Amino acid sequence: MTRRFTPTVVLKDNDVTDETIYTQRRKLLKQMGFLGTGALLSGGANAFGWFSDDEETAVSAPRPLDFKQNTTWGQDETLTPYEKVTQFNNFYEFGTGKEDPAKNAQNFKVDPWTLSIDGMVENPITLGYEELFSKFALEERIYRLRCVEAWSMVIPWTGFQLSHLLAMAKPLSSAKYVAFETLDSPTQMPGIRNAFVGGGLDYPYIEGLRLDEAAHPLTMMAVGVYGKTLPGQNGAPIRLVVPWKYGFKSIKSIVKITLTDKKPPTTWNQLAKQEYGFYANVNPNVDHPRWSQASERRITRGGLFKQTRIPTQLFNGYSEVAPLYANMDLTKQF
Amino acid sequence: MKKLFNRPVRIPAKQRIVTKTLFHFFAVGYLVWLFYAGINDQLGGDPVEALLNATGIMAINLLLFTLALSPLAQRLPCGDLITYRRMSGIYVFVYALMHFLTYIGFELGFDFSLIGSELLKRPYIMVGFTALIILLLLTITSVNKVRRKMGRKWQTLHNFVYLALGLAILHYTWALKTGWQSPVFYWIGAILLVLSRQRILRLLKINS
């Protein structure tokens, strides 16, 4: 049933950035920042995320997981390299800059962890850290991730179907929605401590799905990426992955899942209703008020001249979910 | 207004040449390095976003610096600081132009129908583009010959730099997903700068 970890991409030695070069790059960036901004006496240089002090501290290394591969999706896609998946993140609890979470989540403690499933269920469940990895057989799936900011990645997630967890909890027939909540830890998360770091969002971060969306076989609880446990910035120890919705629906570092009969409030929707709907299905025909959603920039390997802008597909190309929205006007319920 | 120095501080010609050369070196060098790193995929996860942020923020930083020269020249006093203003102002335009080119080229992939519709439909893009046009006009008219020809109109046109500053910071604020971020500090900086201009304050008083 389970099998040793075999990588889904074969990376050759020359694909790996030498660590010394990688750290030099950061150092060089920082020095350039100080020199450049210092010489020009320019104000507000502190706002420049990269140039603030970013001494690297020891990382608790992600450990390999046991899983089987599910080759149903994404086999023909070019994967986004691991270093980009783990260095370019939106996780405002750890800062609003894309490189902030990788920096600020290095010492994020996820063990012990408690994930509770409660509300309208016959069988409330509490999972400890180890159980997140052992309660269900893990599988790897390659999914596209489309951010609401019009960029996308292709990522091999390791985890299990949320439907398995829901089946175990046995939702009551009155349950209609599933609400999710991220850890709320001001001591560990600088963005919660300081509004300027966290963009002034209302924490804890909350998300929600309709029960049939949550139970759809595509919906996944991920505990790993690229065959290893999730780094903090990617939502350790457990996160949601809903590949046909914009990335912000895929809530990270979940501590609580609640079944309910009311449509749950969601963080970005509360901040700007007209910009972020409850459904947030990937849809090229419904623009974000401030930018087009008709196409997206796929982030893979390569510099400025290797950028690819590709058409965005309805439901991010996962047309199997279309029946969930059969009688809905997706331009109104976006 | 208390002045820091009793007598105007002079910057000798030699030092002026050295500091200007250094300024050119860093302003061009930083830009070249940014693009070099971006082309070689050494700007983090997404080189396009990194480049957009870096050029945009540097344009605003340089603009604030440029506009701070004149009040500094008055208050120190050190009139020679004004000789740096045109150079610094032109780099504001250069960085803003690179920011725009990065957006249409690397972000939108030179898809001209998309560029056209984004420019027309998205308020925050229009606001940024308007600031760029103002900076373009200021740059074109910064040649001495043109300046002389324009006479009094030159100053009127160049007063629009304050509008460009407001539009640039508005563009930055609007581009972000939440309001409570670094633009707050930029707004404070811009307001302090405007308050430091006696001429503007006088104008406002006359108008009110």
Side-chain angles (χ1 to χ4, degrees):
Chain A
M1 185 79 184
T2 52
R3 183 168 86 188
R4 288 292 301 163
F5 163 54
T6 44
T8 48
V9 272
V10 184
L11 290 172
K12 297 196 185 74
D13 278 347
N14 61 5
D15 286 325
V16 180
T17 308
D18 190 53
E19 199 184 350
T20 52
I21 293 173
Y22 187 74
T23 46
Q24 271 170 15
R25 182 194 72 92
R26 294 192 76 87
K27 207 175 265 172
L28 188 65
L29 254 163
K30 200 161 65 179
Q31 284 165 349
M32 288 300 289
F34 283 136
L35 282 174
T37 48
L40 303 173
L41 294 171
S42 47
N46 295 339
F48 212 163
W50 295 346
F51 301 139
S52 49
D53 195 38
D54 59 353
E55 293 306 325
E56 255 100 332
T57 44
V59 193
S60 54
R63 59 184 167 83
L65 294 164
D66 277 330
F67 59 87
K68 67 183 171 75
Q69 277 166 14
N70 185 330
T71 54
T72 316
W73 301 276
Q75 295 304 302
D76 52 345
E77 306 262 14
T78 305
L79 295 183
T80 303
Y82 182 75
E83 64 268 29
K84 297 215 175 198
V85 172
T86 55
Q87 299 286 331
F88 188 80
N89 309 93
N90 273 324
F91 198 169
Y92 278 23
E93 284 85 339
F94 291 105
T96 54
K98 294 289 192 296
E99 299 198 336
D100 293 346
K103 206 170 64 192
N104 294 333
Q106 291 205 356
N107 297 317
F108 183 39
K109 284 195 182 49
V110 294
D111 185 11
W113 192 268
T114 311
L115 168 63
S116 61
I117 297 93
D118 56 20
M120 294 179 159
V121 290
E122 259 176 57
N123 179 29
I125 302 170
T126 307
L127 297 178
Y129 180 77
E130 287 303 330
E131 289 170 299
L132 299 176
F133 305 92
S134 59
K135 202 84 177 171
F136 305 93
L138 301 180
E139 57 174 320
E140 182 182 77
R141 297 180 180 187
I142 298 171
Y143 279 163
R144 292 179 288 273
L145 177 124
R146 170 62 155 83
C147 180
V148 74
E149 298 163 3
W151 53 264
S152 61
M153 292 183 175
V154 180
I155 303 170
W157 299 108
T158 314
F160 52 87
Q161 259 176 236
L162 177 55
S163 63
H164 297 157
L165 180 58
L166 291 173
M168 191 178 272
K170 296 189 183 138
L172 302 177
S173 60
S174 49
K176 295 281 180 295
Y177 293 93
V178 186
F180 302 84
E181 194 177 309
T182 296
L183 177 73
D184 184 7
S185 169
T187 51
Q188 291 217 70
M189 296 167 152
I192 297 183
R193 275 202 306 276
N194 182 338
F196 275 110
V197 178
L201 286 181
D202 199 5
Y203 295 109
Y205 194 91
I206 45 175
E207 258 307 337
L209 295 171
R210 231 167 48 193
L211 181 55
D212 57 345
E213 296 177 317
H216 193 278
L218 273 174
T219 307
M220 199 179 168
M221 296 296 284
V223 293
V225 63
Y226 268 94
K228 291 182 277 186
T229 52
L230 292 169
Q233 63 268 32
N234 292 84
I238 188 162
R239 64 170 294 169
L240 182 69
V241 178
V242 198
W244 73 90
K245 290 175 181 285
Y246 292 120
F248 68 86
K249 293 297 285 185
S250 293
I251 181 171
K252 292 170 167 176
S253 305
I254 303 170
V255 291
K256 203 164 129 115
I257 299 177
T258 310
L259 281 283
T260 162
D261 57 353
K262 285 182 202 73
K263 192 186 205 174
T266 59
T267 296
W268 283 102
N269 181 253
Q270 281 181 317
L271 185 86
K273 263 206 278 300
Q274 69 288 357
E275 297 194 340
Y276 312 100
F278 172 80
Y279 287 97
N281 290 318
V282 176
N283 190 339
N285 308 313
V286 178
D287 282 348
H288 185 283
R290 286 181 279 153
W291 54 83
S292 166
Q293 296 289 29
S295 57
E296 67 204 46
R297 220 153 33 72
R298 177 60 57 81
I299 295 175
T300 50
R301 201 174 289 281
L304 289 173
F305 288 109
K306 295 202 178 118
Q307 297 302 312
T308 45
R309 199 165 180 99
I310 54 175
T312 292
Q313 304 173 74
L314 182 61
F315 304 122
N316 205 17
Y318 298 96
S319 53
E320 57 263 56
V321 300
L324 294 174
Y325 312 102
N327 296 312
M328 280 171 53
D329 181 351
L330 294 176
T331 58
K332 291 215 175 70
Q333 289 176 293
F334 56 85
Chain B
M1 186 70 207
K2 223 181 140 195
K3 301 208 161 150
L4 197 59
F5 302 104
N6 291 328
R7 302 174 59 197
V9 180
R10 296 304 310 261
I11 305 173
K14 215 171 169 187
Q15 280 182 29
R16 237 183 286 163
I17 293 169
V18 172
T19 45
K20 277 191 182 182
T21 310
L22 275 174
F23 193 102
H24 284 296
F25 177 78
F26 283 114
V28 175
Y30 180 53
L31 203 55
V32 168
W33 178 81
L34 273 178
F35 274 92
Y36 176 80
I39 287 164
N40 291 297
D41 203 10
Q42 292 292 306
L43 278 182
D46 181 6
V48 180
E49 193 189 278
L51 197 55
L52 280 174
N53 283 340
T55 50
I57 289 172
M58 194 49 104
I60 298 181
N61 285 348
L62 279 170
L63 184 51
L64 287 170
F65 171 77
T66 310
L67 294 176
L69 284 175
S70 179
L72 273 180
Q74 283 171 3
R75 309 238 162 139
L76 284 174
C78 174
D80 287 348
L81 280 178
I82 294 301
T83 60
Y84 295 85
R85 199 169 54 172
R86 176 168 62 185
M87 170 186 69
S88 157
I90 287 172
Y91 277 113
V92 176
F93 172 67
V94 170
Y95 272 85
L97 183 66
M98 290 303 144
H99 177 72
F100 178 68
L101 291 178
T102 303
Y103 174 68
I104 63 168
F106 299 123
E107 173 71 39
L108 301 184
F110 287 120
D111 175 343
F112 285 99
S113 68
L114 182 60
I115 293 167
S117 66
E118 291 294 270
L119 272 178
L120 291 174
K121 281 204 296 205
R122 317 289 169 200
Y124 89 104
I125 299 290
M126 281 191 280
V127 161
F129 190 67
T130 310
L132 181 71
I133 297 297
I134 294 174
L135 292 173
L136 171 71
L137 292 176
L138 303 191
T139 305
I140 292 171
T141 55
S142 66
V143 186
N144 280 339
K145 254 190 194 162
V146 181
R147 180 176 185 167
R148 248 177 271 123
K149 243 187 203 156
M150 288 180 71
R152 286 177 69 89
K153 277 187 227 147
W154 189 89
Q155 187 58 54
T156 313
L157 175 66
H158 279 246
N159 282 343
F160 276 89
V161 70
Y162 289 96
L163 178 62
L165 176 65
L167 292 175
I169 302 178
L170 178 62
H171 167 76
Y172 183 24
T173 311
W174 218 336
L176 299 175
K177 289 201 296 188
T178 64
W180 208 237
Q181 292 187 47
S182 33
V184 176
F185 297 110
Y186 281 95
W187 283 117
I188 294 170
I191 290 166
L192 289 178
L193 205 59
V194 170
L195 291 180
S196 74
R197 299 311 310 271
Q198 287 154 344
R199 192 163 47 83
I200 296 179
L201 289 183
R202 233 179 288 132
L203 272 175
L204 290 177
K205 252 178 229 155
I206 289 165
N207 289 342
S208 61

